[in-house]
Amino acid sequence: NDVNKRSKVITDPAKIKELKQLILQEHLAIQNPLNRSIVGNSVLFSIYFSLDSSGLNTEECNYYWDPSYEPIATWLKANGYWDTLVTQPKDITSIIIAKESTDSNTHYQELSYRFSQQLTNSKLVTVNRPQVIAELLDHSQQEVNFQNTNYILKLKFKDKSIAYRVLSSSEINPEIYKVLPE
């Protein structure tokens, strides 16, 4: 998810079991054996396992949901989690796009820092149209250390929070191309 507060804690054992089964089915159905970040409007599931009966000693496992796998989308919607976890155009007031320089020294920095470095070197474009925002959400990625970044997106939410994504040239379609900075 794009904003940390857009998270849900699931404690119902039956729902946890259902979700775990769907994640396992997706893992077998989708070609993502290394569990890499997914391009598109995906969700990062952070799953915490108790290592002892106290519940204080936990281990975290992250899983990137592929939005093309419909059973998890259906489950999220049926259980009322979809609107909280999946960023939608209605959640965003604007997206600011900056072309990233070719300086490879910044590729391992936080996206907010990388975006700020482009403010003096790049022409910025602000997108407000919901259709284009939807395209950008569907073609961008939340991964911080994404190597083939051509653009950094700053998402401004209606609740005043901010998130960052990256956009690779391989994900640019004609609709997105029309609004990109030079």
Side-chain angles (χ1 to χ4, degrees):
N1 51 356
D2 290 301
V3 180
N4 288 337
K5 64 183 174 184
R6 294 174 60 90
S7 62
K8 276 288 194 191
V9 176
I10 302 170
T11 56
D12 179 343
K15 287 186 178 189
I16 292 170
K17 183 177 179 180
E18 288 174 11
L19 182 57
K20 284 169 68 175
Q21 288 176 327
L22 288 171
I23 288 172
L24 179 59
Q25 289 170 3
E26 176 188 342
H27 188 67
L28 295 173
I30 302 291
Q31 294 298 317
N32 189 15
L34 299 177
N35 193 29
R36 295 192 192 279
S37 180
I38 303 293
V39 172
N41 208 5
S42 66
V43 171
L44 170 64
F45 290 104
S46 293
I47 304 167
Y48 297 91
F49 300 97
S50 290
L51 300 176
D52 60 24
S53 60
S54 73
L56 299 175
N57 188 12
T58 61
E59 182 177 308
E60 178 181 9
C61 177
N62 292 317
Y63 182 76
Y64 291 96
W65 164 63
D66 186 327
S68 69
Y69 189 69
E70 285 297 320
I72 289 180
T74 302
W75 188 89
L76 290 171
K77 290 173 185 174
N79 287 283
Y81 301 129
W82 182 263
D83 287 339
T84 301
L85 297 176
V86 179
T87 300
Q88 301 172 58
K90 68 179 183 172
D91 302 325
I92 296 177
T93 57
S94 65
I95 296 178
I96 302 170
I97 307 170
K99 184 169 179 62
E100 186 163 39
S101 70
T102 57
D103 180 7
S104 61
N105 293 330
T106 63
H107 281 290
Y108 293 101
Q109 302 290 334
E110 296 258 341
L111 282 176
S112 58
Y113 174 80
R114 288 166 56 187
F115 184 87
S116 69
Q117 295 302 301
Q118 305 314 310
L119 294 178
T120 57
N121 304 331
S122 176
K123 179 182 172 190
L124 302 178
V125 171
T126 301
V127 175
N128 298 309
R129 289 190 1 237
Q131 302 88 340
V132 180
I133 288 173
E135 287 290 320
L136 288 167
L137 290 175
D138 288 341
H139 292 277
S140 59
Q141 188 172 3
Q142 299 170 29
E143 180 69 28
V144 175
N145 294 325
F146 192 60
Q147 291 298 312
N148 298 318
T149 301
N150 296 97
Y151 297 91
I152 300 177
L153 311 179
K154 181 177 182 177
L155 285 63
K156 295 178 118 182
F157 288 83
K158 290 181 178 173
D159 68 1
K160 307 292 185 215
S161 59
I162 293 173
Y164 296 87
R165 288 189 176 194
V166 294
L167 179 66
S168 164
S169 60
S170 63
E171 290 297 319
I172 297 172
N173 64 21
E175 185 72 22
I176 293 172
Y177 183 79
K178 293 176 192 175
V179 299
L180 292 176
E182 297 176 6

